[in-house]
Amino acid sequence: MSISVMVIVACQQIPKTVSVDVEAEKAAIAVLFDKFIAAYDAGDAAALVTFLTEDGLFCGTDPSEFMNKQEIKNLFAQLFADTVPEINYIGERVIRVAADGNSATVVLQYIMPLISPKIPLRDVYKVVKTDDKWMIDFFSTSFIPKNEDIPKLNKAIE
């Protein structure tokens, strides 16, 4: 019995450890977001959605805004109808790559004066690697008021 256990244990394949170059993946994701932001700055809704997965989920600031790729394309086309709304980024872009190198979280923070000149917004993205190409599979946009401003906001919406 002992010999059988030793043979079975010895014959099992050891899983291969995949080494992920996190910095290289971060750089590739940064390129994706540079192109995504350039498409926004150009007011190109069709180009923007080329960075999104087909079955992604995209959330706006309103609790009812759960959108698919086509709805996001329509939203951007409507947003860009007259002009491209200004975005003023706050802080650095944050990119955190998963240990397996197949997904990452990206965070951008900014002021969009068209929506609110005083309350910042935060976009949180989930990107996935599909066929060795990074794509945006999820994003959610949220207002991020400073903690000390929350009582004022609560009072204002009473």
Side-chain angles (χ1 to χ4, degrees):
M1 175 102 160
S2 298
I3 293 174
S4 296
V5 170
M6 287 178 22
V7 168
I8 290 171
V9 170
C11 291
Q12 289 184 351
Q13 291 184 9
I14 298 171
K16 290 183 180 180
T17 304
V18 177
S19 177
V20 175
D21 184 344
V22 172
E23 293 308 313
E25 298 302 344
K26 281 184 180 181
I29 294 165
V31 168
L32 164 74
F33 276 86
D34 289 344
K35 290 177 181 178
F36 186 70
I37 290 168
Y40 177 90
D41 291 342
D44 191 343
L48 271 171
V49 297
T50 65
F51 302 103
L52 308 179
T53 61
E54 289 302 318
D55 60 347
L57 173 62
F58 312 106
C59 302
T61 58
D62 190 272
S64 68
E65 292 177 329
F66 285 82
M67 296 167 276
N68 62 33
K69 188 173 181 174
Q70 184 59 49
E71 291 166 325
I72 283 295
K73 183 178 181 181
N74 296 345
L75 178 72
F76 278 123
Q78 181 182 4
L79 186 64
F80 299 149
D82 296 324
T83 185
V84 176
E86 176 185 1
I87 290 182
N88 302 309
Y89 290 97
I90 302 167
E92 298 294 317
R93 179 187 305 161
V94 175
I95 301 172
R96 298 196 60 186
V97 178
D100 66 2
N102 290 316
S103 66
T105 302
V106 179
V107 179
L108 299 172
Q109 298 183 134
Y110 55 93
I111 295 281
M112 185 181 240
L114 174 72
I115 295 177
S116 176
K118 297 191 183 242
I119 304 173
L121 292 145
R122 177 183 293 147
D123 288 347
V124 177
Y125 299 85
K126 176 186 162 207
V127 293
V128 295
K129 192 182 270 189
T130 307
D131 298 326
D132 282 335
K133 181 180 176 184
W134 286 102
M135 300 286 291
I136 299 168
D137 188 52
F138 168 84
F139 72 73
S140 179
T141 301
S142 304
F143 284 103
I144 53 168
K146 292 182 178 177
N147 289 337
E148 63 265 19
D149 291 337
I150 293 174
K152 296 178 216 169
L153 292 168
N154 286 332
K155 185 172 178 115
I157 58 174
E158 286 181 349

